[in-house]
Amino acid sequence: MRVVCILAILLSFSDAEPISSFLTDGENKTSTSLESKDQEWNDLSILRQMINQETVIRLALVKNVHALVNDVTVIKKSLAASEARFTGQQQTIDALKIQVNSLQQENNELKNSSRINEARIMELETKLQSVNENFSTLRDELNVIQKDSDDKRREMFNKTHSVLDDIKIEVRYLSVTLLDFKESTETENESRDKKYEELKRYFNNSVEELKAEIVQTELNLTNNKVLIQNIIDSQSEIRGTFTEILNRTVTKLETQLKTSEYEQLKLSSAVASLEVANMNLSRLNCDKSSHHAFTAGMSSYDNDWTGDTLVFPTVICNLGAGYNPSTGIFTAPPAGTYVFFISVQSAYQKDIWLDIVLNGSSKVRALAWYDSGSSVRIHQTGTNLVILHLQNADRVWVKRYSGVGYYSVSTPITTFSGFKLY
């Protein structure tokens, strides 16, 4: 439901008319609007990709949803508290609008005398400084709220770590996509920071211009009382411009706050998923006990061998000590998916049939066949490979199905290998 709400809000933002800066001309306004719409559609495309990927993960998590209901309830309470804080910030903004209306009334009193006008100008500067301080306070509060929300969300993902183990394979496939998404979000953050600095610069420039116009007004009042009426009209125009700028700035800040909130929610979700995936990958890479592999071979030949189990006594590699060179049997220490390979060289002018056996059941067969009608001195090679899912203590070995003898030398030619796939 949260994803649907985010999608609806983003669509509404994409249809909204862009707010143009009063410092740009008509061409720059059109360019900014197009760039904003392109950026929003790019964000929407990324969101749609994440929704498709999230659907795949949800299919694997549906059986564990009931266990997460209590954690979701805690997060909902936290989000409700965050909304309450945002409501308080909205009330602060309303209070700032009331202060602006008060400034308008005070500016009307400037018509009475130049001394009252000067005092009101100083008070207006104080109010502007207060607005800047309030804006900084609001931004600090927003950072605190975002930090609390991230902590809650991180706690939830830590609790669901055991559930995410069941879908670690899907997370591996998504890791590349998440890395690309992280780079995209970092680019978006840089773009947002640049826009914020640009907005701040525009706002400071507008304040400096307003101060310059006020100083010019004071000089005009001192030098020529005849121009008082013109100065009053100019001040009225300045007040209207300042009010419009302030209202536009407040509206733009509200929109950016909401947009930043949703973007950081998406970013936090993606980064948390990526952290879990990296933790799983790191754990798999660091857990050496999960590595099992072996290769064993025959260091000599036996033209007349007719036994049951073919024992490979020469061990080349035996990670995890699962293979027993005395019995020729591999015993699986942990459950998992394993790959086994056999290569057999036939004895002179003979054929041999060997099976890879799991707990006494033949799975695949290797054949080294000799055509008795040929008098050429040849050795045939037979190979085969099988992938088996083993439980703990399952046993795998090589068994003779038919035929006589095998050929090998000190550097093994007839070999038996296996390793754990995952």
Side-chain angles (χ1 to χ4, degrees), residues 335-340 356-359 361-364 385-391 394-397 419-422:
T337 300
Y338 291 77
V339 178
F340 296 95
I356 296 179
V357 179
L358 169 60
N359 296 331
S361 176
S362 296
K363 298 301 180 181
V364 297
L385 179 146
V386 64
I387 299 175
L388 299 174
H389 184 72
L390 306 183
Q391 301 298 328
D394 279 353
R395 301 190 307 161
V396 179
W397 67 91
F419 61 90
K420 183 181 180 183
L421 186 60
Y422 60 85

XYZ file of all heavy atoms in Angstrom, residues 335-340 356-359 361-364 385-391 394-397 419-422:
243
model
N 24.389 -30.294 4.130
C 23.478 -30.451 2.994
C 23.761 -29.364 1.961
O 24.222 -28.278 2.291
C 22.034 -30.373 3.463
N 23.494 -29.662 0.700
C 23.711 -28.677 -0.350
C 23.681 -29.339 -1.718
O 23.397 -30.529 -1.866
N 23.973 -28.522 -2.735
C 24.003 -29.003 -4.109
C 25.456 -29.213 -4.532
O 26.266 -28.290 -4.426
C 23.304 -28.007 -5.039
O 21.945 -27.854 -4.619
C 23.328 -28.511 -6.478
N 25.784 -30.399 -5.018
C 27.162 -30.783 -5.333
C 27.268 -31.188 -6.814
O 26.281 -31.634 -7.422
C 27.622 -31.956 -4.470
C 27.807 -31.619 -3.009
C 26.706 -31.487 -2.165
C 29.071 -31.416 -2.463
C 26.871 -31.187 -0.816
C 29.251 -31.112 -1.127
C 28.149 -31.002 -0.300
O 28.319 -30.697 1.017
N 28.494 -31.063 -7.359
C 28.807 -31.484 -8.719
C 29.881 -32.573 -8.650
O 30.897 -32.404 -7.957
C 29.299 -30.307 -9.575
C 29.668 -30.778 -10.970
C 28.238 -29.218 -9.645
N 29.644 -33.701 -9.357
C 30.601 -34.799 -9.376
C 30.974 -35.114 -10.835
O 30.116 -35.062 -11.729
C 30.020 -36.048 -8.709
C 29.729 -35.867 -7.249
C 28.451 -35.503 -6.831
C 30.723 -36.022 -6.296
C 28.175 -35.325 -5.484
C 30.459 -35.844 -4.949
C 29.186 -35.489 -4.540
N 28.300 -43.320 -11.242
C 28.368 -42.466 -10.046
C 27.132 -42.787 -9.214
O 25.998 -42.633 -9.672
C 28.416 -40.976 -10.403
C 29.705 -40.662 -11.178
C 28.343 -40.108 -9.152
C 29.838 -39.221 -11.611
N 27.342 -43.235 -7.963
C 26.278 -43.797 -7.138
C 26.017 -42.902 -5.939
O 26.959 -42.432 -5.279
C 26.666 -45.213 -6.654
C 25.572 -45.791 -5.770
C 26.937 -46.118 -7.846
N 24.719 -42.637 -5.649
C 24.301 -41.890 -4.459
C 23.554 -42.846 -3.542
O 22.467 -43.329 -3.876
C 23.405 -40.706 -4.844
C 22.682 -39.999 -3.682
C 23.702 -39.436 -2.686
C 21.778 -38.889 -4.203
N 24.156 -43.155 -2.379
C 23.529 -44.039 -1.383
C 23.093 -45.374 -2.010
O 22.018 -45.906 -1.711
C 22.331 -43.354 -0.722
C 22.742 -42.141 0.080
O 23.865 -42.083 0.591
N 21.854 -41.167 0.199
N 22.310 -45.884 -5.207
C 21.487 -45.712 -6.404
C 22.314 -45.066 -7.512
O 22.840 -43.961 -7.341
C 20.261 -44.851 -6.095
O 19.506 -44.616 -7.267
N 22.438 -45.746 -8.666
C 23.215 -45.213 -9.784
C 22.524 -43.995 -10.392
O 21.321 -44.010 -10.637
C 23.384 -46.294 -10.856
O 24.140 -47.387 -10.374
N 23.317 -42.925 -10.642
C 22.767 -41.682 -11.182
C 23.193 -41.443 -12.626
O 22.376 -41.117 -13.476
C 23.184 -40.498 -10.300
C 22.656 -40.590 -8.882
C 21.136 -40.654 -8.845
C 20.599 -40.751 -7.442
N 19.112 -40.833 -7.416
N 24.472 -41.585 -12.946
C 24.952 -41.435 -14.317
C 26.013 -42.508 -14.564
O 26.572 -43.091 -13.619
C 25.530 -40.037 -14.592
C 24.467 -38.965 -14.453
C 26.710 -39.744 -13.672
N 29.249 -36.318 -15.930
C 29.101 -35.326 -14.847
C 27.670 -35.371 -14.347
O 26.732 -35.568 -15.128
C 29.457 -33.925 -15.344
C 29.347 -32.777 -14.356
C 30.431 -31.727 -14.650
C 27.988 -32.089 -14.433
N 27.485 -35.147 -13.043
C 26.149 -35.139 -12.463
C 26.083 -34.090 -11.362
O 27.071 -33.854 -10.655
C 25.776 -36.528 -11.897
C 26.688 -36.924 -10.755
C 24.316 -36.550 -11.441
N 24.934 -33.433 -11.245
C 24.656 -32.475 -10.172
C 23.649 -33.127 -9.232
O 22.555 -33.524 -9.660
C 24.106 -31.157 -10.717
C 25.128 -30.502 -11.659
C 23.752 -30.197 -9.580
C 24.617 -29.259 -12.348
N 23.996 -33.233 -7.957
C 23.151 -33.908 -6.973
C 22.907 -33.013 -5.770
O 23.816 -32.293 -5.326
C 23.818 -35.206 -6.487
C 24.085 -36.281 -7.546
C 24.863 -37.419 -6.921
C 22.777 -36.776 -8.156
N 21.674 -33.038 -5.262
C 21.365 -32.337 -4.010
C 21.478 -33.334 -2.868
O 20.725 -34.316 -2.806
C 19.964 -31.730 -4.051
C 19.655 -30.917 -2.822
N 20.230 -29.683 -2.588
C 18.855 -31.170 -1.770
C 19.803 -29.219 -1.445
N 18.963 -30.100 -0.929
N 22.441 -33.136 -1.968
C 22.742 -34.072 -0.894
C 22.259 -33.548 0.445
O 22.301 -32.334 0.712
C 24.243 -34.335 -0.817
C 24.935 -34.806 -2.116
C 26.399 -35.079 -1.833
C 24.245 -36.032 -2.688
N 21.805 -34.458 1.268
C 21.527 -34.168 2.666
C 22.768 -34.498 3.488
O 23.717 -35.133 3.006
C 20.313 -34.974 3.158
C 19.041 -34.719 2.383
C 18.577 -33.271 2.493
O 18.780 -32.622 3.512
N 17.955 -32.767 1.430
N 24.878 -37.972 3.386
C 24.685 -38.737 2.155
C 26.049 -39.141 1.588
O 27.040 -38.397 1.720
C 23.920 -37.905 1.117
C 22.426 -37.934 1.372
O 22.000 -38.701 2.248
O 21.697 -37.183 0.700
N 26.105 -40.318 0.909
C 27.381 -40.844 0.427
C 27.347 -41.009 -1.096
O 26.336 -41.443 -1.658
C 27.687 -42.177 1.096
C 27.765 -42.078 2.626
C 28.320 -43.361 3.233
N 27.583 -44.539 2.775
C 28.044 -45.781 2.848
N 29.261 -46.000 3.305
N 27.304 -46.802 2.430
N 28.476 -40.682 -1.737
C 28.620 -40.784 -3.185
C 29.929 -41.512 -3.490
O 30.974 -41.198 -2.906
C 28.605 -39.398 -3.860
C 28.780 -39.538 -5.363
C 27.316 -38.657 -3.537
N 29.909 -42.511 -4.432
C 31.114 -43.214 -4.823
C 30.989 -43.690 -6.277
O 29.942 -43.520 -6.904
C 31.407 -44.381 -3.886
C 30.424 -45.517 -3.917
C 30.458 -46.620 -4.689
C 29.250 -45.645 -3.103
N 29.397 -47.440 -4.434
C 28.625 -46.855 -3.438
C 28.666 -44.854 -2.116
C 27.458 -47.293 -2.845
C 27.510 -45.299 -1.510
C 26.905 -46.509 -1.879
N 32.605 -31.115 -5.985
C 32.663 -29.865 -5.200
C 31.241 -29.396 -4.892
O 30.283 -29.735 -5.577
C 33.428 -28.770 -5.959
C 32.817 -28.366 -7.271
C 31.884 -27.342 -7.339
C 33.188 -29.018 -8.440
C 31.324 -26.970 -8.543
C 32.633 -28.652 -9.645
C 31.696 -27.630 -9.706
N 31.137 -28.595 -3.841
C 29.843 -28.035 -3.421
C 29.550 -26.791 -4.246
O 30.350 -25.846 -4.271
C 29.843 -27.699 -1.937
C 28.479 -27.181 -1.437
C 28.539 -26.843 0.059
C 27.178 -26.338 0.507
N 27.194 -25.922 1.934
N 28.383 -26.794 -4.923
C 28.001 -25.647 -5.752
C 27.447 -24.522 -4.884
O 27.850 -23.380 -5.009
C 26.965 -26.095 -6.781
C 26.548 -25.057 -7.837
C 27.773 -24.626 -8.647
C 25.481 -25.639 -8.760
N 26.520 -24.814 -4.010
C 25.974 -23.850 -3.030
C 25.210 -24.580 -1.966
O 24.890 -25.742 -2.117
C 25.084 -22.800 -3.730
C 23.903 -23.338 -4.472
C 22.690 -23.609 -3.823
C 23.989 -23.581 -5.838
C 21.618 -24.098 -4.518
C 22.909 -24.084 -6.542
C 21.728 -24.330 -5.876
O 20.649 -24.807 -6.556
